[in-house]
Amino acid sequence: MKSIALLRERATRVMPTGSHCPASGLWSPDSDPDAVQLFAEGHVLPAYNGVPTLWRRRTSEGSA
């Protein structure tokens, strides 16, 4: 059952500052969708410009 929970977590596309990144890839802050940052799985998602934000995982096409 743990593997199902991990798969569900990796499918999560929106995570708040302070959360562990569920999957490696490109992420953008809600406050600046054109800003793209690469995070590795397990990395703690940071604040953006000193402000907590929601991070959205980018799709392979580059859109959020």
Side-chain angles (χ1 to χ4, degrees), residues 1-3 5-6 13 18 20-21 23 29 46 48 50 55-57:
M1 287 312 218
K2 186 173 184 177
S3 62
L6 288 174
R13 298 183 57 137
H20 290 271
C21 182
Y48 182 73
W55 289 92
R56 293 189 183 273
R57 187 164 181 215

Side-chain angles (χ1 to χ4, degrees), residues 20-43:
H20 290 271
C21 182
S24 297
L26 299 175
W27 292 76
S28 294
D30 263 2
S31 59
D32 187 359
D34 293 326
V36 179
Q37 294 189 28
L38 176 65
F39 295 116
E41 184 176 338
H43 182 91

